[in-house]
Amino acid sequence: MDNSTTPSRPTPVISDETPHAERPKLRGRPTKQHAPVIDLDILKVATELFADKGYAATSMEAIATKVGIAKRTLYTRYPDKITLFRDVLETIIRTAAVPEPMAFPDMRTCLMFHTENYFIIASDPSMKVIRTLGAAEVMGLPEIALIAEEMTRDIGINPIAQTIRDTAQRTGLTVSDPEFIAASILDMAAGHFNRVQVLKLRSDFASFKFAADRIVNLLMAGIAEENNRRAKT
């Protein structure tokens, strides 16, 4: 009996009850009571500025000024901008992470889930921080490229590959390189999503579902060919 279920897809969000703009500016050393509020405000403001201006054009001074704290208060928490940026990305990705079942009932359901899930997460406004990281900026900042690669592997490729591996074992399919299939899902979905954004094409869920279906058709054709070759040997 198949007890697997399709988990709900949470929306990535950094939220708090009171927007930072409505809070009084703090003077002097922050109290223990204010510390959690400041921590959240720093993440919210940094997320906004990185999304609007990009990584390179956002300064630590601008973040501190908008939060309403001294630069030394910010540097006490984050020794440099790259550390703060990593924390912003990790917060966004962590809230977007989806708990996966051990295996899906069939491979097509598995691949469709992951492809559609990419489009849902990528469409969320909080993901603008990641979308603003253009190729030129990433290429010019090796530390950003390393963070992006690490997160893509740990949050994207590895968990997707594991569900592909589990599903293949459960259904008797041969998938010799689950990591390649997982990376292909992310690469093709990201390519389509970026094209939609640049050309301002239709971007509702129905259109993304159609694109997901086409992507999965290509991947399933490759898996079928691999299994046909195996059957002939």
Side-chain angles (χ1 to χ4, degrees):
M1 181 177 179
D2 181 14
N3 294 320
S4 63
T5 58
T6 300
S8 60
R9 301 177 173 94
T11 301
V13 61
I14 298 176
S15 62
D16 186 48
E17 293 180 358
T18 309
H20 59 83
E22 298 178 8
R23 297 195 182 105
K25 302 301 181 184
L26 301 175
R27 297 181 181 277
R29 179 175 295 180
T31 64
K32 289 183 179 180
Q33 179 184 359
H34 286 135
V37 173
I38 291 174
D39 292 340
L40 182 61
D41 273 356
I42 290 171
L43 282 177
K44 290 175 68 176
V45 168
T47 300
E48 292 170 5
L49 293 180
F50 286 138
D52 292 341
K53 299 182 178 182
Y55 175 84
T58 299
S59 68
M60 292 289 274
E61 182 176 3
I63 293 170
T65 298
K66 190 167 183 180
V67 175
I69 58 176
K71 281 196 294 182
R72 74 170 175 272
T73 301
L74 178 58
Y75 278 106
T76 297
R77 289 162 167 76
Y78 297 99
D80 48 45
K81 186 169 67 168
I82 190 67
T83 304
L84 174 53
F85 186 72
R86 174 185 283 274
D87 204 10
V88 166
L89 289 184
E90 288 180 347
T91 300
I92 292 171
I93 297 298
R94 186 170 58 249
T95 58
V98 178
E100 307 291 2
M102 289 302 295
F104 291 88
D106 57 73
M107 188 60 70
R108 184 175 185 81
T109 301
C110 175
L111 301 186
M112 278 295 292
F113 173 84
H114 291 302
T115 310
E116 290 178 2
N117 197 54
Y118 175 90
F119 288 130
I120 290 171
I121 292 175
S123 298
D124 189 272
S126 66
M127 286 294 173
K128 186 180 177 184
V129 173
I130 297 174
R131 295 199 298 269
T132 56
L133 285 176
E137 186 168 39
V138 171
M139 291 297 292
L141 298 165
E143 64 271 30
I144 296 295
L146 287 174
I147 291 174
E149 174 63 24
E150 177 185 322
M151 289 189 170
T152 298
R153 183 184 65 250
D154 294 343
I155 307 298
I157 293 176
N158 288 350
I160 293 174
Q162 186 58 52
T163 60
I164 292 171
R165 193 175 291 109
D166 292 340
T167 305
Q169 183 176 10
R170 172 186 236 173
T171 58
L173 282 174
T174 295
V175 180
S176 58
D177 194 347
E179 284 74 17
F180 177 80
I181 299 295
S184 296
I185 289 173
L186 299 179
D187 289 344
M188 288 191 283
H192 178 76
F193 188 89
N194 291 337
R195 177 173 176 271
V196 166
Q197 297 297 304
V198 170
L199 299 180
K200 301 186 184 305
L201 303 176
R202 180 182 168 190
S203 58
D204 56 13
F205 182 70
S207 64
F208 283 134
K209 187 176 180 65
F210 179 80
D213 187 68
R214 293 296 183 90
I215 290 170
V216 171
N217 284 345
L218 289 172
L219 296 174
M220 288 300 297
I223 292 172
E225 176 62 23
E226 178 181 7
N227 280 267
N228 287 339
R229 288 199 305 269
R230 182 191 180 199
K232 293 177 181 178
T233 57

